[in-house]
């Protein structure tokens, strides 16, 4: 059964409105800036709390238990246009015999469902949940496959292929671009990304620009891992320029999730 390592209530960064985000444990890639290192491994782990105690990360819930949990805040979803987001780790690499009934059941309660994904999963998995997902928060880290491999451990071919297929299937896509200064923030990279989106007729509802940040980096030490590599976020001025550049191509753009 998939493990959940966090149920975040009243989240405002994982899609529109007020949301409950379910964080599933396990990810097939290793982004060097990952701010949820406890999400990467598929097994239960121990983490040292800030107070020096040992805490177990990863708990299994039945589908019904999770549905019950997210239902508690239905009034907030309704008032804010929010819902539930499945995140991770990478939820699309979990057992789909669990994930598909979960999203189906949540949606049957009239709750909007979003899936946050890095795109590194078989497309059959996406197909299983397509009818029950209102939108995908789809991360595109690098348009250049070489860089994608260097900084996440895998090339971007599957990521781009799944993005294309999701768009062809009419999925609502919120494209999320993580911004790492000096690596993917130049005009050339942004234009290259836009050119690829246009060439492949990718229909994007909104582009979210996610500047690099270091929240959660203390968790590496508390998991007994070595410190992560540090990057830099572009300046606020540069973030605005990137936003403008994308808006010039008629995309709706927001800085932040
Ligand atoms: S895809 Fe997300 S969870 Fe997986 S390593 Fe990258 S940042 Fe971490």
């Amino acid at each position: 059964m998939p493990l959940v390592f966090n149920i975040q209530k009243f989240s405002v960064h994982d899609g529109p409105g007020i949301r409950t985000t379910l964080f599933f444990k396990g990810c097939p890639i290793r982004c060097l800036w990952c701010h949820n290192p406890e999400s990467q491994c598929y097994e239960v782990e121990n983490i040292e709390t800030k107070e020096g105690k040992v805490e177990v990360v990863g708990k299994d819930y039945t589908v019904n238990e999770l549905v019950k949990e997210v239902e508690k805040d239905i009034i907030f979803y309704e008032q804010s246009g929010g819902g539930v987001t499945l995140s991770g780790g990478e939820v699309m690499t979990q057992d789909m015999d669990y994930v598909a009934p979960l999203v189906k059941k949540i949606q049957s309660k009239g709750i909007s469902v979003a899936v946050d994904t890095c795109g590194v999963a078989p497309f059959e998995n996406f197909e299983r949940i397509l009818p029950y997902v209102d939108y995908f928060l789809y991360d595109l880290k690098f348009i250049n496959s070489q860089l994608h491999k260097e900084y996440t451990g895998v090339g971007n071919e599957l990521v781009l292929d799944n993005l294309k297929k999701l768009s062809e299937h009419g999925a609502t896509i919120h494209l999320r671009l993580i911004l790492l200064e000096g690596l993917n923030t130049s005009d050339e990279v942004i234009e290259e990304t836009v050119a690829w989106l246009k060439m492949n007729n990718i229909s994007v509802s909104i582009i979210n620009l996610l500047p690099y940040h270091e929240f959660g980096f203390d968790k590496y030490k508390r998991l007994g891992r070595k410190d992560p590599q540090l990057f830099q976020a572009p300046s606020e001025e540069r973030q605005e320029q990137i936003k403008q550049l994308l808006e010039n191509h008629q995309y709706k753009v927001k800085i932040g999730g």
Side-chain angles (χ1 to χ4, degrees):
M1 192 185 284
L3 295 172
V4 171
F5 71 91
N6 190 12
I7 298 176
Q8 170 104 53
K9 303 255 181 170
F10 301 105
S11 170
V12 289
H13 298 294
D14 299 309
I18 294 174
R19 314 191 69 81
T20 296
T21 306
L22 305 175
F23 289 92
F24 287 88
K25 191 158 160 45
C27 186
I29 67 174
R30 291 290 178 271
C31 305
L32 294 183
W33 59 86
C34 180
H35 56 269
N36 280 332
E38 78 278 36
S39 75
Q40 294 175 339
C41 165
Y42 286 84
E43 278 91 46
V44 167
E45 281 174 289
N46 288 335
I47 189 167
E48 199 182 304
T49 65
K50 285 178 182 159
E51 296 74 37
K53 292 185 187 146
V54 175
E55 206 169 73
V56 174
V57 186
K59 184 172 176 322
D60 50 14
Y61 292 83
T62 64
V63 165
N64 285 340
E65 281 170 336
L66 281 185
V67 173
K68 239 189 188 157
E69 192 55 42
V70 302
E71 259 186 313
K72 289 178 188 165
D73 292 324
I74 203 159
I75 185 143
F76 297 107
Y77 313 146
E78 282 170 1
Q79 283 170 356
S80 67
V84 171
T85 300
L86 274 60
S87 185
E90 179 48 64
V91 65
M92 298 309 301
T93 56
Q94 300 289 350
D95 179 359
M96 296 314 284
D97 287 335
Y98 176 98
V99 177
L102 175 65
V103 291
K104 189 175 176 185
K105 225 168 187 171
I106 295 174
Q107 209 201 37
S108 75
K109 305 280 177 188
I111 300 172
S112 147
V113 179
V115 167
D116 182 8
T117 178
C118 70
V120 182
F123 189 71
E124 299 81 74
N125 292 3
F126 287 95
E127 269 183 315
R128 291 273 307 269
I129 61 164
L130 259 172
Y132 319 115
V133 174
D134 296 283
Y135 40 82
F136 289 89
L137 312 178
Y138 202 99
D139 300 346
L140 179 55
K141 299 160 198 303
F142 294 97
I143 193 69
N144 177 299
S145 189
Q146 198 69 39
L147 286 176
H148 202 284
K149 187 163 174 41
E150 198 176 324
Y151 290 96
T152 74
V154 301
N156 68 6
E157 289 74 13
L158 185 57
V159 179
L160 298 181
D161 199 45
N162 282 336
L163 181 53
K164 236 190 286 185
K165 287 181 179 153
L166 277 179
S167 179
E168 282 162 11
H169 280 71
T172 302
I173 297 164
H174 294 199
L175 192 69
R176 291 155 83 86
L177 305 179
I178 174 147
L179 300 179
L180 302 157
E181 177 61 17
L183 288 176
N184 59 9
T185 55
S186 67
D187 283 7
E188 290 72 22
V189 171
I190 301 299
E191 291 292 358
E192 199 185 331
T193 306
V194 169
W196 184 88
L197 292 172
K198 291 199 167 163
M199 190 174 76
N200 291 284
N201 292 319
I202 309 292
S203 165
V204 172
S205 302
I206 185 167
I207 297 180
N208 292 97
L209 300 176
L210 307 180
Y212 164 83
H213 64 75
E214 290 169 15
F215 304 143
F217 274 14
D218 61 304
K219 291 188 273 187
Y220 281 83
K221 206 164 258 140
R222 295 196 279 116
L223 282 162
R225 301 210 203 145
K226 66 176 178 42
D227 287 340
Q229 184 174 330
L230 295 182
F231 296 85
Q232 264 194 325
S235 66
E236 280 181 22
E237 190 190 353
R238 181 62 195 149
Q239 291 171 28
E240 285 298 334
Q241 286 168 356
I242 294 171
K243 181 171 181 270
Q244 188 60 57
L245 200 58
L246 290 164
E247 283 172 346
N248 292 346
H249 286 284
Q250 273 67 57
Y251 289 108
K252 185 175 169 200
V253 187
K254 183 180 169 208
I255 298 173

